[in-house]
Amino acid sequence: DHIERVLDGRIELRLTNHGLFQIHGLACLYHTLPSLTENERIKQFIRDRLPTCLNAQFDTEFIHQEHSPGYHDLATNKLSFFIDSGLYEDYPILEQIYYGAKKNIFWLTDPAGNLWAVGDSYAQKSRECGLVQHDWEISDSIRMRRFDFGYVSIKSHPETPLQSSSGL
């Protein structure tokens, strides 16, 4: 009954991280219960709604649109979990958004890897922080990144030793 209500829209698909969890629940059912009569509808639902849900959460520069580095980190971490589940091999948009969002974590954290305390975020270690390849020349010691979404971040080169690095 619950599946039917999600599929026919009586339970609204939220275009937030909650919507991603709804879709993931359906993906789990689809893959673990192959005899489910709704499986073809579930597969079509995921195919239709996953891109809509992802694009409602991440802008074209792969920044999460809930106005905080904390939500960006949470959503990026969940995308990683979904990819690792092996349930989304037919949906390359998930990996595309994940890798773009992961690359942006660098700009949403201080040099030690703590999220900038912006919006409802507080300075905690990013779950997704890690050295991601950037297109910096080693001679560029500091760079600024401005996102259309409104964030501006100024940081030292990623390979700068922590004691010598800076960020704003």
Side-chain angles (χ1 to χ4, degrees):
D1 183 51
H2 184 77
I3 294 169
E4 187 62 38
R5 292 170 57 179
V6 171
L7 294 176
D8 71 15
R10 286 180 285 161
I11 296 177
E12 179 184 358
L13 177 69
R14 310 243 337 251
L15 297 179
T16 64
N17 57 338
H18 299 275
L20 287 177
F21 299 140
Q22 285 175 281
I23 289 171
H24 187 63
L26 289 172
C28 289
L29 290 169
Y30 174 81
H31 286 278
T32 57
L33 299 172
S35 63
L36 219 72
T37 58
E38 295 89 352
N39 266 350
E40 282 310 308
R41 289 178 60 213
I42 289 172
K43 190 174 183 178
Q44 187 63 44
F45 184 91
I46 295 170
R47 187 178 302 116
D48 293 344
R49 305 297 193 311
L50 181 62
T52 302
C53 197
L54 289 168
N55 289 324
Q57 290 188 56
F58 290 90
D59 69 9
T60 58
E61 294 179 290
F62 308 110
I63 290 289
H64 195 267
Q65 298 187 72
E66 286 196 44
H67 301 80
S68 90
Y71 270 113
H72 183 93
D73 190 61
L74 170 79
T76 305
N77 179 260
K78 292 307 163 206
L79 295 184
S80 174
F81 174 81
F82 295 161
I83 291 166
D84 290 346
S85 75
L87 304 178
Y88 297 92
E89 293 173 356
D90 295 334
Y91 309 98
I93 188 172
L94 190 66
E95 285 192 16
Q96 176 191 7
I97 290 178
Y98 168 71
Y99 288 112
K102 182 173 174 64
K103 191 171 183 178
N104 287 334
I105 292 286
F106 171 80
W107 295 104
L108 301 178
T109 57
D110 68 18
N114 296 306
L115 296 167
W116 294 116
V118 175
D120 59 2
S121 298
Y122 56 94
Q124 66 180 3
K125 193 61 116 182
S126 165
R127 289 170 272 230
E128 287 297 312
C129 190
L131 189 59
V132 175
Q133 288 299 108
H134 290 274
D135 59 350
W136 283 18
E137 296 295 326
I138 196 68
S139 60
D140 292 342
S141 60
I142 294 179
R143 269 211 183 156
M144 179 178 84
R145 175 76 196 265
R146 181 192 170 281
F147 292 94
D148 289 340
F149 190 67
Y151 292 138
V152 176
S153 183
I154 303 169
K155 291 186 69 176
S156 299
H157 190 282
E159 296 178 17
T160 303
L162 184 58
Q163 65 275 16
S164 304
S165 62
S166 59
L168 172 67

